[in-house]
Amino acid sequence: MIDLSVDIAGIHFKNPVLAASGTFGYGLEFAELIDLNRLGGFCTKGLSIEPLEGNPPPRIVETHGGMLNSIGLQNIGVRAFVEQKLPHLRKYNTRVIANVFGFSPEEYVDVVRVLNDGDGVAAYELNISCPNVKKGGMEIGNDPNEAARLTEAVKRVAHRPVIVKLSPHARSIAEVARAVEAAGADALSVMNTILGMSVDIYTRRPRLGTVMGGLSGPAIKPIAVRMVFEAARAVSIPVIGIGGIVTAQDALEFIIAGASAIQVGTANYADPGVTIKIIDGLTAYCRQQNIAQIRTLIGTIRC
Amino acid sequence: MMDVTATVLNNAREYGDYWRLRVKIPAHYAVRPGQFAMIRPSAQWEPILRRAMVFYRVEHRVHALEAEFIYRVMGRGTRQLAQLRSGDRLDVLGPLGNGFTIGERPAVGRDVALVSGGIGIPALYLLAAELCQRGFVPRLFHGDRTSDAERGLICVDDFYALLGRDHVLCATEDGSYGQRGVVTDLLESALQSGAWRPVALYACGPEPMMKRVAQLALQFHIPAELSLEAAMACGFGVCLACVQRVRLDGRITYVRVCCEGPVFRAEDIVWEEPVVDRSPVGGMRNGAR
């Protein structure tokens, strides 16, 4: 029997495969398509203190090896999540990570306070790296001092472990990683989308309603693997790897480079069952490589 | 909604960019007129997204569904679909979306207007068939830029067989088939004649056509349902990419075209500012990217 379980910030995950925020709704949307109980866990759509309407369309553009999005954190608001979604999610044996967003540090704290009362949330993931909103988001994540200050503020009120989701746009990912670790972060998610742009040559307009958007998908995987490698070397807290994962082989690259778990994002759109296939693929790899416990593989890169 | 591996029975060019794909889906589900599926060649990750396609025709077999899709080759995804041969596998997630609604037949009046442009026409076939079954008399108005010398217009022969030739009116912008001009002019003159008063109107086509159809429906007091398209990543409600502005409970808000749509009541749609599109293909671009 292969043991795929991993422990992150004191939370036990049955396997290291999580679904990434923004690509998995509130989880329930997938219940008809996959067995949620098999997942290590999933991150909710980013939750803000008030519901958000999101950005004007078009909100996505397909690109080579991926896509650009500018959804703009459309969500039902944290209170509606706790009241309407969480009771249903408690029926499933999987870890629910609430992704938290605010337009100011105070708003992040307010969202976490509401979530503290919600039964069934395992951890919080702070989105300080969204490229699709003008305030909050990426402008906090790119500055080590601001990122640390926010982490500290949230840690003071949080009843659950705090994972900080980093931006690829920081001058040095290692620097931000160290700053939020020092501020008390329990783990890191690396990384969010990369800012990009696409132009319609027949209308001469940007192909996204907001001009720019976040690039995701297999095209960004090498960048994400490098970022995870750098972040994992810089800190001693666990790093969760994200960026273009489509297969178990992709997931294994991240784990070997230093990720304690991985998140699957864009691939969920094209194949709602992809997370289950990745879990099965990890088991097959471990069996073939005579690895009894996948946690022994974390950060074993030779270089 | 389920995601299954289907088998290609037939995949052939109709004419020009138009293709017809026939697949065997090893599942049993009911498909409402106007519902769609998200499709990709099995386990194919480049391009990354599936393509949204409306169910054109569906036949129930003993252990499977046989479904037909009509598509237009316009980009990487649809070019790849055109490479599929008999026996190849494809992933089919469906049925998705709300589909059209058919009201009770009123005491007076059985006429119904169907309006389509270009690759919008396949969305109306199952609807036309069901309307006929329920005792309505649908009349199709269909337009396209041009036609094929041998094959005429896409899907139109199927509608001739279903509705009768005198209940299908066509327009082409170059005048090569039917009346020269746009389909909404055909619709307008039919409505203005006064002799024909449809009790309902259904439409699928490019945005300029849809806006004009919505205006005419309002002007002539005909309840209308329009099937919209939008750039879509998942098709089942999680990506929140395909939003449309609508009037809902007295306010204006975004809803998802894939779940709350793709069919909306004409009066609920809030149209965005028009964009001048000078692309050589024009028309509906999505669902056939």
Side-chain angles (χ1 to χ4, degrees), chain A residues 50 62 103 108 139 199 242 252 261:
Chain A
E50 299 298 334
E62 197 171 38
F103 290 101
Y108 282 88
E139 73 178 15
V199 177
I242 320 166
L252 286 158

Side-chain angles (χ1 to χ4, degrees), chain A residues 15 17-20 23-24 30 33-35 38-39 218 244-251 262-282, chain B residues 3 40 43-45 48 50 91 236:
Chain A
N15 63 61
V17 179
L18 320 178
T23 66
F24 212 69
F30 280 77
L33 293 165
I34 63 170
D35 180 4
R38 288 205 59 201
L39 278 185
I245 296 173
V246 161
T247 63
Q249 286 71 30
D250 297 333
I262 57 94
Q263 292 180 14
V264 182
T266 304
N268 288 307
Y269 297 149
D271 182 0
V274 68
T275 44
I276 306 300
K277 290 170 193 161
I278 292 173
I279 294 165
D280 292 340
L282 292 181
Chain B
D3 190 21
R40 68 169 182 179
Q44 181 68 52
W45 291 99
I48 191 91
R50 294 193 192 197
D91 299 331
F236 57 99

Side-chain angles (χ1 to χ4, degrees), chain A residues 148-233:
Chain A
R149 214 170 302 141
L150 176 70
T151 305
E152 228 172 68
V154 169
K155 273 299 285 182
R156 267 199 293 275
V157 298
H159 294 174
R160 303 191 172 100
V162 173
I163 304 163
V164 182
K165 186 167 180 178
L166 303 187
S167 160
H169 291 285
R171 198 188 52 187
S172 156
I173 191 94
E175 197 184 348
V176 184
R178 274 192 293 265
V180 298
E181 179 185 38
D186 298 286
L188 305 175
S189 289
V190 178
M191 64 188 206
N192 209 315
T193 54
I194 304 172
L195 203 55
M197 185 169 162
S198 177
V199 177
D200 184 322
I201 60 168
Y202 296 110
T203 61
R204 300 190 195 173
R205 288 192 178 208
R207 294 175 73 178
L208 285 175
T210 52
V211 182
M212 288 176 258
L215 180 65
S216 65
I220 69 167
K221 196 191 77 177
I223 301 172
V225 172
R226 187 265 295 176
M227 293 257 170
V228 165
F229 176 71
E230 286 190 322
R233 287 202 152 185

Side-chain angles (χ1 to χ4, degrees), chain B residues 201 210-211 213-215 217-218 221-226 244-248 251-252 263-271:
Chain B
L201 186 154
M210 299 286 258
K211 281 184 183 168
V213 167
Q215 281 172 353
L218 226 62
H221 307 289
I222 308 164
E225 288 194 341
L226 311 186
Q244 169 67 41
R245 237 181 233 291
V246 297
R247 292 177 193 89
L248 185 73
R251 63 197 181 97
I252 289 175
V263 178
F264 296 94
R265 296 192 307 178
E267 65 267 32
D268 293 341
I269 298 169
V270 181
W271 301 100

Side-chain angles (χ1 to χ4, degrees), chain A residues 22-26 29-30 32-33 45 53-67 71 74-75 200 202-205 207 217-218 246-247 266-274 277, chain B residues 1-3 38 40 44-51 76-77 91 93 231-245 252-256 272-280 285 289:
Chain A
T23 66
F24 212 69
Y26 304 101
E29 293 91 332
F30 280 77
E32 207 182 318
L33 293 165
K45 179 82 194 156
E53 201 191 18
N55 288 334
R59 290 179 171 185
I60 57 158
V61 177
E62 197 171 38
T63 62
H64 284 273
M67 58 178 270
I71 306 302
Q74 180 179 337
N75 79 99
D200 184 322
Y202 296 110
T203 61
R204 300 190 195 173
R205 288 192 178 208
R207 294 175 73 178
V246 161
T247 63
T266 304
N268 288 307
Y269 297 149
D271 182 0
V274 68
K277 290 170 193 161
Chain B
M1 162 177 70
M2 57 195 295
D3 190 21
M38 295 295 284
R40 68 169 182 179
Q44 181 68 52
W45 291 99
E46 180 59 38
I48 191 91
L49 302 176
R50 294 193 192 197
R51 267 47 186 165
R76 287 188 296 148
D91 299 331
L93 175 68
M232 210 174 264
C234 69
F236 57 99
V238 295
C239 74
L240 307 181
C242 63
V243 292
Q244 169 67 41
R245 237 181 233 291
I252 289 175
T253 186
Y254 283 131
V255 295
R256 300 165 298 186
E272 306 284 342
E273 285 300 300
V275 173
V276 180
D277 185 348
R278 298 187 180 85
S279 73
R285 293 220 253 166
R289 287 162 300 169

